[in-house]
C-alpha cells in the first residue's frame, strides 16, 4: 500500500506540472485530429506536417508505448483524478459501478467519436458555440466570461464532475473521443503490464485499484486499449507479480515512464519547432486591395483567456502592421504563436493561415482578433464607398440643373431626399445620450460643432467587450462621416450597434 500511495503522489506531481506548463495539450490534440481528418478528407496532404505535429507525435507515442499521455500528461485526465480524489477523501464516496454496466458504457465514447467525425466535422450537424467542456474548464479562471460564453460547456462539465465523484476517470472511460482513438491505436503497443496468473492470490487488488476498471485478475498480459499506464496495479500487488514489460520482459517502471513522457514531450517540442516555421505561402491572397479602409483598428479575440486585443494598420488597402494591444494569455503560449501568426497574416494578406501547433488556442485568439479588426476596416470601407457614391450622385444632379426646368425639379427632389437622411442642424455643445445594447446603459457623449457632429465619445457600457469593441469604431466613424444615425449595424454585433445608435440618437434629440 505504501508503494501504491507513493506512485499516486509521483503521478499527481507530474500531472500538475503538465497542468501548469502545458495545459492546452488535450484541446490542441483534439483540434489537430479534426485538422488531420479534414486534410485527409480534402486530400490536402501538403499541410498535414505543419497543421498536426502534436497529434502525430501522440499517435506514434501511443502506438509504441501505450496511453501514457492519458495517464500522466492530459489536463482533463488530471481534473478527473482530482475530482474523484475529492469524492473519496472529502465526501467519503465508496461507489463501485457494476462491471458489466461499466463495460457497456465504455462503448459510448466510440459513439461520441463517430458522431463528431461523421456529423459535426462534415457540417451535417451544427452545434451551438461554447459547447466544449474542455474549453469551459479552461475559462474557469474567469467565471463570468465562462458563464456568458460557455454555458452549454459548463453544464456538460458539471455532469462530468458529478460522474467523476462516483466513478474514477468517468469522462475518460465513457465519453472522451480522443480516448476512443488512443484506445484503438494502443492495442499493439510494445510496452504493457505483465502478470502471471499462476502466481496470483485471489485478492483481486489490481482490478479493484485500476483507474479504468479493467478486469486484470484473469489475464497474463494487459492488452486492453483502456489501460492508461497509471501503474496502480503494479504498486498495489502484494506479491509484486505485476510489472511493466517491454516485449514481455520486465523493465524499471519509472525509467519507462520517464522515457515515454519525456520522449513524447521532447519529440513534440522538436517537431513543433519545425512546424512553427512551416507556413504555406503557396496559396494566393484572398484579400482585395480595395476591401479595407485605411486606418488603425482595434480587434478583440479569445484564446486561452478572453480579451486578447490587437491593433491592425491598413495602408493603401493592405495590412501593413499588427501589434499587441493587450493580452491575458499565458506568456509562453502567446509568444510561441505571435510572430508566426502575425508574419503569416501580413505575408498572405489573409487570416487564412495555419495555427501554431502547441499554441493553437492563442493562435486562434490572435486570428479572431485580427478578423475582428478587419471587419471594422471592411465596414468603414463600405461607408466610404456609400458616401462617395452619394457625393457623385449629388454632383451629377447639380450639373443637370442647368439644362431644363423639368430636370431641375427632379434634381431638387433627389437632393431634398438625400438631405433629409443625412443632414440636420444641431445646436453646438456636448450632449449625453443613453441606449440599450446587449445590456442597458450604453452611454455616450456627442459633440456638436458648427451645427455638425464632430465627435462621439464612450462614457460607459455594460455590453460584452468583444461585441461592443467590434461595433464601436465602425458605427462611430459611420455616423460622423454621414452626419446621420442611418447607418448599417455591424454583423455579429447587431445589438451593441443598435445600443450605440440609440444612445447617439438620444444625445442628438437634446441638440435639436
Amino acid at each position: 500500500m505504501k508503494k501504491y500511495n507513493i506512485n499516486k503522489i509521483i503521478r499527481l506531481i507530474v500531472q500538475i506540472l503538465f497542468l501548469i506548463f502545458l495545459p492546452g495539450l488535450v484541446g490542441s490534440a483534439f483540434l489537430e485530429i479534426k485538422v488531420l481528418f479534414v486534410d485527409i478528407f480534402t486530400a490536402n496532404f501538403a499541410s498535414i506536417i505543419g497543421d498536426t505535429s502534436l497529434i502525430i507525435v501522440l499517435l506514434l507515442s501511443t502506438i509504441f508505448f501505450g496511453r501514457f499521455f492519458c495517464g500522466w500528461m492530459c489536463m482533463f485526465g488530471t481534473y478527473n483524478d482530482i475530482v474523484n480524489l475529492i469524492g473519496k477523501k472529502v465526501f467519503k464516496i465508496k461507489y463501485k459501478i457494476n462491471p458489466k454496466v461499466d463495460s457497456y458504457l465504455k462503448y459510448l465514447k466510440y459513439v461520441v467519436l463517430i458522431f463528431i467525425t461523421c456529423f459535426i466535422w462534415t457540417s451535417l450537424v451544427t452545434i451551438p458555440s461554447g459547447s466544449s467542456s474542455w474549453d469551459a474548464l479552461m475559462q474557469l479562471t474567469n467565471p463570468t466570461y465562462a458563464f456568458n460564453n460557455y454555458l452549454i460547456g459548463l453544464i456538460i462539465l458539471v455532469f462530468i464532475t458529478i460522474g467523476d465523484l462516483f466513478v474514477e476517470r468517468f469522462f475518460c472511460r465513457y465519453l472522451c473521443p480522443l480516448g476512443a482513438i488512443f484506445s484503438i491505436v494502443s492495442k499493439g503497443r510494445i510496452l504493457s503490464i505483465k502478470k502471471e496468473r499462476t502466481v496470483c492470490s485471489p485478492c483481486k487488488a489490481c482490478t479493484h485499484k485500476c483507474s479504468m476498471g479493467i478486469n486484470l485478475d484473469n489475464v497474463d498480459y494487459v492488452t486492453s486499449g483502456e489501460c492508461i499506464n497509471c501503474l496502480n496495479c503494479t504498486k498495489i500487488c502484494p506479491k509484486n507479480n505485476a510489472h511493466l514489460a517491454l516485449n514481455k520482459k520486465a523493465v524499471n517502471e519509472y525509467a519507462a515512464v520517464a522515457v515515454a513522457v519525456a520522449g513524447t514531450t521532447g519529440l513534440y517540442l522538436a517537431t513543433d519547432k519545425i512546424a512553427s516555421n512551416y507556413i504555406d505561402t503557396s496559396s494566393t491572397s484572398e484579400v482585395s486591395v480595395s476591401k479595407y479602409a485605411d486606418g488603425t483598428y482595434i480587434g478583440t479575440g479569445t484564446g486561452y483567456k478572453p480579451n486578447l486585443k490587437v491593433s491592425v494598420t491598413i495602408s493603401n488597402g493592405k495590412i501593413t502592421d499588427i501589434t499587441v494591444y493587450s493580452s491575458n494569455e499565458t506568456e509562453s503560449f502567446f509568444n510561441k504563436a505571435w510572430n508566426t501568426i502575425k508574419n503569416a497574416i501580413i505575408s498572405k494578406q489573409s487570416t487564412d493561415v495555419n495555427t501554431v501547433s502547441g499554441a493553437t488556442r492563442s493562435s486562434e485568439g490572435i486570428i479572431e482578433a485580427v478578423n475582428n479588426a478587419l471587419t471594422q476596416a471592411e465596414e468603414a470601407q463600405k461607408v466610404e464607398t456609400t458616401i462617395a457614391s452619394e457625393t457623385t450622385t449629388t454632383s451629377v444632379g447639380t450639373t443637370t440643373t442647368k439644362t431644363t426646368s423639368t430636370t431641375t425639379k427632379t434634381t431638387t427632389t433627389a437632393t431634398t431626399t438625400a438631405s433629409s437622411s443625412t443632414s440636420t442642424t444641431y445646436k453646438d455643445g456636448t450632449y449625453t445620450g443613453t441606449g440599450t445594447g446587449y445590456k442597458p446603459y450604453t452611454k455616450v457623449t456627442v459633440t456638436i460643432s458648427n451645427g455638425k457632429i464632430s465627435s462621439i465619445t464612450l462614457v460607459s457600457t455594460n455590453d460584452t467587450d468583444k461585441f461592443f469593441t467590434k461595433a464601436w469604431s465602425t458605427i462611430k466613424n459611420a455616423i460622423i462621416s454621414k452626419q446621420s444615425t442611418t447607418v448599417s449595424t455591424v454583423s455579429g454585433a447587431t445589438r451593441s450597434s443598435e445600443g450605440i445608435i440609440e444612445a447617439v440618437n438620444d444625445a442628438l434629440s437634446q441638440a435639436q
Side-chain angles (χ1 to χ4, degrees):
M1 183 60 77
K2 183 179 179 181
K3 289 195 298 180
Y4 170 77
N5 289 331
I6 291 172
N7 178 66
K8 296 274 281 188
I9 292 169
I10 291 172
R11 188 161 71 95
L12 186 60
I13 290 171
V14 174
Q15 287 176 299
I16 289 172
L17 288 174
F18 275 95
L19 179 64
I20 294 170
F21 295 107
L22 290 171
L25 281 181
V26 62
S28 297
F30 195 64
L31 282 173
E32 290 191 13
I33 284 284
K34 176 184 178 180
V35 173
L36 183 62
F37 171 81
V38 172
D39 281 350
I40 293 174
F41 189 73
T42 58
N44 185 22
F45 302 111
S47 298
I48 287 178
I49 294 175
D51 290 344
T52 59
S53 60
L54 171 60
I55 194 58
I56 289 173
V57 168
L58 291 181
L59 287 172
L60 290 173
S61 171
T62 304
I63 288 169
F64 287 103
F65 301 117
R67 294 174 60 181
F68 279 100
F69 173 78
C70 300
W72 295 77
M73 302 166 68
C74 174
M75 175 273 291
F76 213 70
T78 302
Y79 176 79
N80 277 241
D81 287 339
I82 291 173
V83 171
N84 186 254
L85 187 64
I86 292 170
K88 288 176 179 176
K89 300 298 182 183
V90 177
F91 299 108
K92 307 298 180 183
I93 296 173
K94 295 182 179 179
Y95 176 78
K96 284 288 182 185
I97 190 168
N98 181 284
K100 209 169 245 188
V101 174
D102 176 70
S103 65
Y104 288 136
L105 287 177
K106 283 173 179 172
Y107 289 107
L108 276 176
K109 60 180 173 285
Y110 299 104
V111 176
V112 173
L113 176 64
I114 291 169
F115 177 77
I116 290 172
T117 305
C118 296
F119 292 94
I120 296 176
W121 289 352
T122 57
S123 300
L124 292 176
V125 174
T126 301
I127 60 170
S129 61
S131 301
S132 169
S133 55
W134 284 326
D135 291 343
L137 180 61
M138 292 296 294
Q139 302 298 337
L140 284 182
T141 52
N142 189 337
T144 302
Y145 181 83
F147 186 81
N148 289 335
N149 295 275
Y150 292 93
L151 182 58
I152 298 175
L154 283 174
I155 292 170
I156 296 171
L157 184 62
V158 169
F159 169 73
I160 292 168
T161 302
I162 294 170
D164 280 329
L165 288 170
F166 292 89
V167 179
E168 189 172 1
R169 290 274 176 154
F170 174 85
F171 178 76
C172 308
R173 291 191 195 195
Y174 310 135
L175 299 173
C176 181
L178 192 59
I181 294 170
F182 289 155
S183 179
I184 295 169
V185 302
S186 68
K187 286 184 177 292
R189 62 191 180 275
I190 59 175
L191 202 61
S192 60
I193 304 296
K194 174 188 176 184
K195 54 181 288 296
E196 297 180 23
R197 281 179 290 174
T198 55
V199 183
C200 280
S201 64
C203 67
K204 298 188 177 182
C206 54
T207 295
H208 294 320
K209 292 296 182 180
C210 178
S211 296
M212 297 295 287
I214 305 170
N215 185 1
L216 298 173
D217 48 290
N218 290 324
V219 297
D220 290 314
Y221 297 98
V222 181
T223 57
S224 170
E226 300 294 328
C227 178
I228 58 173
N229 291 324
C230 65
L231 302 184
N232 286 352
C233 59
T234 67
K235 301 305 177 186
I236 198 65
C237 181
K239 292 192 171 185
N240 292 323
N241 184 38
H243 305 280
L244 194 61
L246 179 66
N247 283 335
K248 302 182 180 180
K249 293 182 180 179
V251 296
N252 183 290
E253 284 145 6
Y254 290 123
V257 170
V259 169
V261 173
T264 300
T265 307
L267 186 59
Y268 157 62
L269 293 174
T271 55
D272 183 59
K273 184 70 176 175
I274 298 170
S276 66
N277 296 319
Y278 182 89
I279 302 174
D280 182 9
T281 57
S282 60
S283 61
T284 58
S285 170
E286 298 178 2
V287 179
S288 168
V289 171
S290 60
K291 190 174 183 179
Y292 304 119
D294 287 358
T296 299
Y297 305 87
I298 305 296
T300 306
T302 299
Y304 283 98
K305 298 179 181 179
N307 298 327
L308 194 167
K309 293 185 179 180
V310 302
S311 67
V312 178
T313 301
I314 307 294
S315 181
N316 296 322
K318 291 186 177 181
I319 305 166
T320 56
D321 190 30
I322 305 170
T323 57
V324 183
Y325 191 82
S326 64
S327 172
N328 297 317
E329 298 290 278
T330 304
E331 188 176 0
S332 59
F333 289 105
F334 183 79
N335 290 342
K336 190 174 190 178
W338 173 247
N339 284 326
T340 302
I341 298 297
K342 179 186 76 171
N343 293 337
I345 290 173
I346 294 173
S347 173
K348 293 185 70 176
Q349 289 293 297
S350 168
T351 53
D352 183 20
V353 297
N354 297 326
T355 56
V356 175
S357 180
T360 304
R361 295 292 301 282
S362 288
S363 302
E364 290 172 342
I366 296 165
I367 293 168
E368 182 185 345
V370 173
N371 272 329
N372 180 225
L374 292 178
T375 299
Q376 299 170 40
E378 192 171 351
E379 291 293 331
Q381 178 67 9
K382 288 177 183 177
V383 170
E384 288 184 6
T385 303
T386 302
I387 293 169
S389 176
E390 289 175 354
T391 304
T392 302
T393 303
T394 303
S395 298
V396 171
T398 303
T399 303
T400 54
T401 301
K402 299 175 182 179
T403 312
T404 66
S405 58
T406 306
T407 309
T408 302
K409 290 178 182 178
T410 307
T411 305
T412 304
T413 304
T415 306
T416 305
T417 304
S419 299
S420 66
S421 65
T422 60
S423 179
T424 304
T425 302
Y426 301 112
K427 293 182 290 186
D428 286 1
T430 299
Y431 305 89
T432 300
T434 305
T436 299
Y438 281 95
K439 298 178 182 178
Y441 308 121
T442 290
K443 188 179 288 187
V444 303
T445 61
V446 178
T447 301
I448 306 296
S449 180
N450 296 322
K452 292 186 176 181
I453 305 168
S454 59
S455 70
I456 304 170
T457 307
L458 177 65
V459 177
S460 63
T461 182
N462 294 316
D463 274 17
T464 304
D465 185 57
K466 75 171 184 177
F467 293 109
F468 187 83
T469 304
K470 187 175 186 179
W472 172 247
S473 294
T474 301
I475 298 298
K476 179 186 72 171
N477 294 337
I479 290 172
I480 294 172
S481 295
K482 294 186 72 174
Q483 289 294 298
S484 168
T485 53
T486 309
V487 297
S488 300
T489 57
V490 174
S491 178
T494 304
R495 294 288 300 281
S496 287
S497 302
E498 291 170 344
I500 297 166
I501 293 168
E502 182 184 340
V504 173
N505 274 329
D506 183 35
L508 291 178
S509 68
Q510 304 166 41
Q512 290 177 351

